[in-house]
Amino acid sequence: MEHSWIKKHIQVGPLGAAYPDYLFIPEGDTPTLLYLIQNGLGDPEHPEWGSWGGRYAPSAEEGRHYGDTVDRVTGVSGNTYVSAQATIWRWRDAFQNDFAARMQWTLAGDYSKANHSPRVSVNGCGFGPQAMRIEADVGTTLELDAGDSYDPDQGDKLSYTWTQYKEPSATQWQVGFEVAPLLITDLDPQVPGRKISVAIPSPGRCAVDLGTNKPVPVGQELHLILEVKDDGVPSLTTYKRIVIQCLNPEVSSALAEGEEDPRAAISQAIANLRG
């Protein structure tokens, strides 16, 4: 945030007057608070999923200890950056607008005189901030409809953007290699993105053991983010995270018919060696 932006959008009204000029960096501890904002993007139980407050991966130590991890993000310059800071600044426009809107709330004596965030629902899942979980067979297609979403401010129009967030699905640095893309097709000719279809990858891309390349019955969790933005001033954004659990029914059927689960066999072999 630049001084000029802060003076125009934040240092306004009685509360804004108490907001100080910064000397080095503004809001250095902000991710701690942004992590708690329930806007449909993050989940306090899953720091590895990412949110306005950044994304954090489990450490090698035992217990629930999380530390900085990295995202691969393309900036406004067109260059791609891989850094822990990118897990936060990728959402910068949205959370700065949210900050500016909250300052306007302190000035408006009437609800209708300030802008408010959209309310988002997909496939009738309700308007809460929790992620929507879907189980889907590999190689199939889902339809997702956000038509129930609305804006509480009369006259505001909504835009819909769907993005696959690959990093939460990956276990290593080679995200592009490890996580297959979801093929998204727009189904709404009147409002782009309001209704889409999503093609789930083939079993060889999302339901295999990365170490052995053998098929597994339960594959990756793929993360799809819906971003719903209004055209108010400032423009505000609400999200819905879709977590797609990929399933391979052919492997499940084979195991049910008596074929040995290779993971169970490995576990048994280790137990036998230990005596």
Side-chain angles (χ1 to χ4, degrees), residues 61-106:
E61 303 173 4
E62 294 184 3
R64 292 178 60 82
H65 179 78
Y66 289 77
D68 286 350
T69 188
V70 301
D71 278 358
R72 180 182 297 271
V73 186
T74 301
V76 295
S77 64
N79 296 324
T80 299
Y81 301 87
V82 181
S83 73
Q85 289 76 24
T87 68
I88 297 174
W89 65 248
R90 69 183 302 161
W91 316 108
R92 180 166 48 205
D93 288 346
F95 64 65
Q96 286 186 347
N97 280 355
D98 184 85
F99 190 11
R102 290 172 186 269
M103 295 308 297
Q104 289 300 315
W105 295 350
T106 70

Side-chain angles (χ1 to χ4, degrees), residues 231-252:
D231 62 352
V233 179
S235 176
L236 295 178
T237 304
T238 304
Y239 308 85
K240 176 59 72 173
R241 182 185 293 262
I242 318 295
V243 182
I244 304 171
Q245 176 64 72
C246 299
L247 302 177
N248 191 339
E250 292 187 3
V251 175
S252 298

Side-chain angles (χ1 to χ4, degrees), residues 38 43 57 61 76 92 98 175 179 189 223 233 245 260 263:
Q38 296 299 288
D43 185 325
E61 303 173 4
V76 295
R92 180 166 48 205
D98 184 85
V175 177
V179 184
H223 291 245
V233 179
Q245 176 64 72
E260 186 176 31
R263 294 172 298 179

Side-chain angles (χ1 to χ4, degrees), residues 13 18 22-23 61 72 105 114 118 154 158 194-195 229 235 258 261:
Y22 67 86
L23 297 177
E61 303 173 4
R72 180 182 297 271
W105 295 350
Q154 187 174 3
L158 300 179
R194 186 166 59 181
K195 184 177 181 180
K229 182 184 297 185
S235 176
D261 185 342

